[in-house]
Amino acid sequence: MFVQITKTLAIVGSVAIAALTLIATPAALAATEIQEVTSPGGITAWLVEEHSLPFVVIEAAWENGTLQDPEDKAGLTYMMAGLMNEGAGDLESQAFQGELERLAANLSFRASRDRLSLSFKTLTENREEAVELLRLALTEPRFDQSPIEQIRGQLKVAILRDAESPDKIAADAWYSTALADHPYTRPSKGTLDSITTLGRDDLIAHRERLFAKDNINIAVVGDIDPEALKELLDDVFGGLSDATLFEEVALAEVNPEAQLQIIERNMPQSVVLFGHAGIAREDDDFIPAYVMNYILGGGGFSSRLMTEVREKRGLAYSVATYLYPLRHAALFIGQVATENERVSESLDVIRAEIARLAAEGVTEKELTDAKTYLTGSYPLRFDTNDKIAGQLIAIQEADLGIDYINRRNGLIEAVTQDDIKRVAERLLGPENLIVTVVGQPEGLEAN
């Protein structure tokens, strides 16, 4: 399947091979194609060919991430992701990393609540050898004891750091209040106790359970043609098991009751998280809600909240809101950090602006300005091969269709003031906000 899209590609005379980074210029916008390539073994990837520079980017993502940690083994997926490139096959950690360096290849794995993913880059001239390292990492990771202890130590440091981070404290408390005992509230990095119990057998079993061929999305961008990609797909991913053995995760029900939670910390400023239920990515109203949120708090210095909270009143340096459509929960979340004596007034202004938008909608100028920015800035998401690959994965994960890049700006342009008002009335509920404050806010009482 061929679909015309617009992307930004660099037209440069030379490339810094060590960085393996493609720098774009506005003049380099050019039409290109997304091809859906299926290997003889039945593995499918989206490919954007770009032969002007001699390297290839591969992004792959598997559904289900740290949510699949057993209750008594929190942190298992996170630790496993950190160890996947720490030795594979006959190569111990140092030797494996040395081979990646010799070939100027980059390989990393990441874990989030909803996904496991890998990023891989290689020069064309080293592709065969580098791809073999990728295959080994994915199918024959060693999980040797020395790297396990090293990653365990790094996780301990990260957990202790998170325990002192006001932002992380606020986020954990907000999620626990909003989502009760749903798996989203479990600590992705684990706890000091849980990561102590994790061992090699756990890691081996978990890898076999989560990395499979039935729940993978793949994007490839760069100097490779479809026939070569078919061979690569079977070589790298063909050895994975056919089906993922994951636990079903229920949709989360967001607490509909307004709450104000205060976590005392001796700080001159408070960190505030506020929000309630959001809107799912597959909902027909998601695009109007996306535009609405841009006007309310997603548009940086042009948003209503930034204007009212920062510009007019000087209450905070920044304030923002987000639509957060997780796989099993849809959330609307905002954040502001301000001096303790200004928290109460800031929240009053935020609630008032949310209520005003829900009651009155947006002006024609606000909507026009939002469309201009959201459509005009879209190509910037495609100004490097890495970004292109990331966008292709995100589109696959959301099941938006291979032609979404062509359709997306039209969907934005079609949003009307009536759409925004309808969605705002449906989504926004200032009276239902769950608010978590970390600090010593003045004039507020928890309920």
Side-chain angles (χ1 to χ4, degrees):
M1 178 181 291
F2 294 82
V3 178
Q4 290 294 318
I5 65 169
T6 299
K7 72 183 179 76
T8 304
L9 290 175
I11 305 299
V12 293
S14 62
V15 59
I17 297 300
L20 286 178
T21 300
L22 180 59
I23 306 300
T25 67
L29 284 171
T32 190
E33 299 168 344
I34 304 174
Q35 304 172 60
E36 187 173 86
V37 176
T38 300
S39 73
I43 299 168
T44 296
W46 286 8
L47 167 65
V48 172
E49 290 186 67
E50 165 46 43
H51 298 287
S52 66
L53 293 171
F55 68 93
V56 177
V57 174
I58 299 175
E59 291 278 339
W62 289 261
E63 297 176 7
N64 295 298
T66 62
L67 287 189
Q68 292 297 318
D69 287 351
E71 281 197 62
D72 61 341
K73 296 186 182 299
L76 180 57
T77 306
Y78 210 90
M79 177 181 280
M80 179 186 71
L83 286 160
M84 293 293 292
N85 64 354
E86 292 289 343
D90 295 331
L91 299 172
E92 295 182 355
S93 177
Q94 191 169 357
F96 189 86
Q97 291 294 329
E99 282 298 283
L100 287 173
E101 185 174 342
R102 179 179 69 81
L103 297 169
N106 293 336
L107 172 61
S108 62
F109 289 80
R110 299 176 300 279
S112 65
R113 292 183 176 92
D114 282 338
R115 58 142 60 171
L116 273 167
S117 60
L118 72 81
S119 298
F120 174 75
K121 269 189 281 192
T122 178
L123 293 167
T124 303
E125 66 186 74
N126 297 334
R127 191 173 73 208
E128 185 175 347
E129 286 185 275
V131 163
E132 174 60 11
L133 293 177
L134 170 61
R135 185 194 69 79
L136 285 173
L138 192 56
T139 58
E140 300 179 37
R142 293 176 61 88
F143 298 133
D144 288 334
Q145 197 60 35
S146 177
I148 287 176
E149 296 307 324
Q150 182 180 4
I151 297 297
R152 197 193 317 274
Q154 293 174 4
L155 275 176
K156 286 180 179 177
V157 172
I159 292 168
L160 291 171
R161 185 174 58 239
D162 285 349
E164 300 299 323
S165 165
D167 289 337
K168 188 67 167 61
I169 292 169
D172 288 347
W174 192 91
Y175 270 83
S176 294
T177 303
L179 301 178
D181 57 354
H182 192 273
Y184 277 130
T185 64
R186 296 176 190 165
S188 295
K189 296 172 187 168
T191 66
L192 293 178
D193 289 336
S194 70
I195 65 171
T196 302
T197 68
L198 304 179
R200 186 171 186 271
D201 290 344
D202 298 316
L203 295 161
I204 292 172
H206 205 54
R207 186 203 68 81
E208 293 176 351
R209 197 163 69 89
L210 294 189
F211 285 103
K213 290 183 283 192
D214 67 331
N215 68 340
I216 185 173
N217 292 303
I218 304 170
V220 180
V221 182
D223 186 22
I224 188 169
D225 60 41
E227 291 305 311
L229 178 57
K230 290 177 183 177
E231 183 177 347
L232 182 152
L233 292 173
D234 281 342
D235 286 346
V236 173
F237 302 101
L240 298 177
S241 57
D242 290 333
T244 310
L245 301 174
F246 59 85
E247 299 289 334
E248 292 291 340
V249 177
L251 288 175
E253 293 187 10
V254 182
N255 184 352
E257 302 294 331
Q259 293 199 32
L260 173 57
Q261 181 182 26
I262 298 174
I263 300 172
E264 291 280 346
R265 288 292 186 276
N266 184 17
M267 306 187 305
Q269 286 201 335
S270 291
V271 172
V272 183
L273 240 62
F274 56 91
H276 51 48
I279 188 166
R281 184 62 186 85
E282 62 269 23
D283 193 297
D284 290 341
D285 276 337
F286 182 85
I287 291 292
Y290 176 68
V291 179
M292 177 211 72
N293 182 67
Y294 176 85
I295 296 169
L296 174 63
F301 283 97
S302 65
S303 75
R304 283 189 180 185
L305 289 181
M306 189 68 95
T307 300
E308 297 297 328
V309 173
R310 171 179 160 136
E311 299 301 325
K312 290 186 178 179
R313 297 173 176 81
L315 293 173
Y317 180 76
S318 67
V319 56
T321 57
Y322 312 89
L323 296 179
Y324 200 14
L326 296 165
R327 191 180 305 279
H328 307 286
L331 303 172
F332 165 77
I333 300 177
Q335 183 169 12
V336 62
T338 187
E339 297 174 6
N340 290 322
E341 59 269 26
R342 294 184 168 185
V343 173
S344 181
E345 185 180 357
S346 297
L347 282 171
D348 288 344
V349 174
I350 289 167
R351 286 193 176 94
E353 286 305 311
I354 293 174
R356 182 165 73 94
L357 201 153
E360 302 173 4
V362 299
T363 68
E364 183 176 351
K365 183 178 187 308
E366 285 177 319
L367 181 56
T368 299
D369 289 347
K371 289 179 179 179
T372 298
Y373 177 81
L374 292 173
T375 57
S377 64
Y378 192 51
L380 297 178
R381 300 186 187 184
F382 301 87
D383 60 3
T384 70
N385 284 3
D386 302 64
K387 286 186 180 179
I388 294 170
Q391 286 294 313
L392 298 190
I393 287 290
I395 293 169
Q396 290 179 70
E397 289 182 323
D399 197 21
L400 298 176
I402 199 168
D403 62 342
Y404 177 75
I405 293 173
N406 279 342
R407 294 187 292 108
R408 185 263 193 191
N409 277 0
L411 297 173
I412 298 286
E413 292 288 0
V415 174
T416 67
Q417 286 177 271
D418 288 342
D419 291 332
I420 299 282
K421 193 165 190 310
R422 181 188 72 252
V423 170
E425 289 175 349
R426 171 189 168 192
L427 177 63
L428 300 178
E431 71 282 3
N432 297 325
L433 285 179
I434 296 168
V435 180
T436 299
V437 184
V438 177
Q440 293 179 315
E442 297 179 6
L444 287 180
E445 290 187 8
N447 59 23

